[in-house]
Amino acid sequence: MTRTIPLRYRDRMTDEQAAVYAILDEALVCHVSYILDGEPRILPTLHARVGDNLLLHGSSGSRLGLLAREYADGLPVCVAVTLIDGIVLARSAFNHSVNFRSVVVHGKARLVTDRERQQQALDAFINQLVPDRASHSRRANPQELAKTAVLELPLAEAAAKVRQDKSDFDDPEDLDLPHWAGTIPLHVTAGEPKPAPELLGAPVPDHVTGWTPTR
Amino acid sequence: MTRTIPLRYRDRMTDEQAAVYAILDEALVCHVSYILDGEPRILPTLHARVGDNLLLHGSSGSRLGLLAREYADGLPVCVAVTLIDGIVLARSAFNHSVNFRSVVVHGKARLVTDRERQQQALDAFINQLVPDRASHSRRANPQELAKTAVLELPLAEAAAKVRQDKSDFDDPEDLDLPHWAGTIPLHVTAGEPKPAPELLGAPVPDHVTGWTPTR
């Protein structure tokens, strides 16, 4: 697991499964790093965790979708999700930071070709966005599935890195400086749901009004 | 600029500078994709845009910081920032999506070695988190600067991709399905600032109480 061990701030790191899975489950998007023609690439996309695998949403016509087809035993990727919980202000510029929870996963992502497993993956992507949403929508038809690329990445090599509030914001010699220190907590909040034009005035279902960022 | 042209949804893409810069300026973190020992890597980190360059925050002892030293003419990287503006619910599973604004930058990142430019970069990182914050903190000393790695990436090859609300959430044949469709808008909001223990009860400065996610 050496790829998941950072050179610095190792105290912020954990490969405890529960911590890794909770962060993956809360994040709405991930970033996928891969190599194309010897160059680094990055793609923000949707994901979902199903058991001990991370599913990545793509399009069969996208660069990542096309590239994954060429790797029967899986395309090497590195995936990150990052949740920002606050801005940390110190008296010293150097000790400014953010509170965050992030996960990095290394591994080989394989294209899911089985249609039923593709359907289950689409359900998982939608439920990742809004719990219980898949049962409140029409499932994909064969044409839609053909346009969708699902990549499956085992969570065997995954680690979380977490920075939370600490009691010391500054080095002792800076405590008397005339600057404010502390945290600005940040949250993701949902606004009033905006219905499609045809549904103006229609009741908004509970799974929509009850949306919260935490899972 | 072919690396910045996606194969799909080209209508969502723009390389208009104002759009690219506004997204970079609003984002609190970025993800950096790079190659180490032939494998894709990813790092979430702080960034700041200064003129036509993107500055990336690192530590001189981190993998990225150490690697950048080996590339005098710049380490090939691909950087993404992604802002999530809402969850798009359609009657069909397939048409679910998120509203987002993202930027991807390709290029070679060079280590900034000049001490004064490092200082300016640290100011920029802090002001990216909280506008005007750098002037309310102690600047880094030489030891702190030595621990910091600043990478500079020209914004010559950068593109934004934006998905916003549209009036049609579904294909016409799905409009009569008994499912709700619409958007759950998402926002980043700041909670009550939490002072360092020594500052409990002290006044909180305007640049902290007035924090908003938009720039």
Side-chain angles (χ1 to χ4, degrees):
Chain A
M1 303 261 299
T2 56
R3 289 188 297 191
T4 55
I5 298 176
L7 300 186
R8 294 186 62 257
Y9 291 120
R10 289 183 196 185
D11 57 315
R12 293 182 184 173
M13 217 268 307
T14 177
D15 57 3
E16 193 211 328
Q17 194 180 74
V20 169
Y21 287 8
I23 294 166
L24 292 172
D25 292 352
E26 184 172 332
L28 293 175
V29 297
C30 69
H31 285 83
V32 182
S33 167
Y34 61 101
I35 301 174
L36 179 65
D37 298 334
E39 292 177 341
R41 295 288 181 127
I42 196 164
L43 180 77
T45 192
L46 302 178
H47 69 279
R49 182 184 63 83
V50 174
D52 296 327
N53 287 296
L54 189 67
L55 302 175
L56 306 172
H57 181 266
S59 154
S60 43
S62 68
R63 285 203 175 83
L64 185 60
L66 294 170
L67 190 63
R69 275 196 232 170
E70 301 173 17
Y71 288 79
D73 69 336
L75 171 73
V77 296
C78 187
V79 179
V81 308
T82 305
L83 303 169
I84 302 297
D85 295 325
I87 301 173
V88 180
L89 308 182
R91 286 112 172 154
S92 57
F94 184 76
N95 283 315
H96 280 65
S97 186
V98 290
N99 284 334
F100 65 88
R101 289 168 289 148
S102 71
V103 164
V104 170
V105 186
H106 296 266
K108 292 184 173 183
R110 278 173 200 258
L111 215 48
V112 172
T113 52
D114 178 83
R115 283 292 150 101
E116 184 50 33
R117 291 184 60 225
Q118 281 191 328
Q119 281 282 14
Q120 291 165 0
L122 271 182
D123 288 351
F125 293 135
I126 294 167
N127 288 335
Q128 174 93 9
L129 295 175
V130 179
D132 197 28
R133 176 65 191 178
S135 65
H136 294 90
S137 59
R138 172 179 69 69
R139 284 194 121 187
N141 59 39
Q143 293 75 34
E144 292 167 338
L145 285 181
K147 292 182 193 168
T148 305
V150 177
L151 277 73
E152 185 177 59
L153 175 66
L155 287 167
E157 203 175 338
K161 204 168 162 191
V162 175
R163 188 202 191 280
Q164 291 177 300
D165 269 335
K166 300 182 285 190
S167 59
D168 52 329
F169 287 75
D170 277 289
D171 303 329
E173 59 270 29
D174 290 329
L175 289 180
D176 290 333
L177 291 174
H179 304 306
W180 190 84
T183 304
I184 303 175
L186 298 182
H187 309 281
V188 175
T189 52
E192 196 70 29
K194 297 199 291 192
E198 312 84 26
L199 295 177
L200 277 169
V204 183
D206 291 347
H207 69 272
V208 176
T209 56
W211 189 91
T212 63
T214 46
R215 296 287 170 261
Chain B
M1 303 260 298
T2 56
R3 289 189 296 191
T4 55
I5 298 176
L7 301 187
R8 293 186 62 259
Y9 292 120
R10 290 184 194 183
D11 57 315
R12 293 182 184 173
M13 217 266 309
T14 177
D15 58 2
E16 193 211 329
Q17 195 180 74
V20 169
Y21 287 9
I23 294 166
L24 291 172
D25 292 353
E26 183 172 332
L28 293 175
V29 297
C30 69
H31 285 83
V32 182
S33 166
Y34 61 101
I35 301 174
L36 179 66
D37 299 334
E39 291 176 343
R41 295 289 181 127
I42 196 164
L43 180 77
T45 191
L46 303 178
H47 69 280
R49 181 185 63 84
V50 174
D52 296 326
N53 287 296
L54 189 68
L55 303 175
L56 306 172
H57 182 267
S59 153
S60 43
S62 68
R63 284 202 175 86
L64 185 60
L66 293 170
L67 190 63
R69 274 197 233 171
E70 299 173 18
Y71 289 78
D73 68 337
L75 172 72
V77 297
C78 187
V79 179
V81 309
T82 305
L83 304 168
I84 302 297
D85 295 325
I87 301 173
V88 180
L89 308 183
R91 285 113 173 154
S92 57
F94 185 75
N95 283 314
H96 280 66
S97 186
V98 291
N99 284 334
F100 65 89
R101 289 167 291 148
S102 71
V103 164
V104 170
V105 186
H106 297 265
K108 292 184 173 183
R110 278 173 200 260
L111 215 48
V112 172
T113 53
D114 178 82
R115 281 293 149 100
E116 185 49 33
R117 292 184 59 225
Q118 281 191 328
Q119 281 282 14
Q120 290 165 359
L122 271 183
D123 288 351
F125 293 135
I126 294 166
N127 288 335
Q128 174 92 9
L129 295 175
V130 179
D132 197 30
R133 176 65 191 177
S135 65
H136 294 90
S137 60
R138 173 179 69 69
R139 284 195 122 189
N141 59 39
Q143 294 74 33
E144 291 168 337
L145 284 183
K147 290 183 194 168
T148 305
V150 176
L151 278 74
E152 184 177 59
L153 175 66
L155 287 168
E157 203 175 340
K161 203 168 160 191
V162 175
R163 189 203 191 279
Q164 292 176 300
D165 269 335
K166 300 182 285 189
S167 59
D168 51 330
F169 286 75
D170 276 288
D171 303 328
E173 59 269 29
D174 290 330
L175 290 180
D176 290 333
L177 290 174
H179 306 307
W180 191 84
T183 304
I184 303 175
L186 298 182
H187 309 281
V188 175
T189 52
E192 196 70 30
K194 297 197 293 190
E198 313 85 28
L199 296 177
L200 277 169
V204 183
D206 291 345
H207 69 271
V208 176
T209 55
W211 189 91
T212 62
T214 47
R215 295 286 171 263

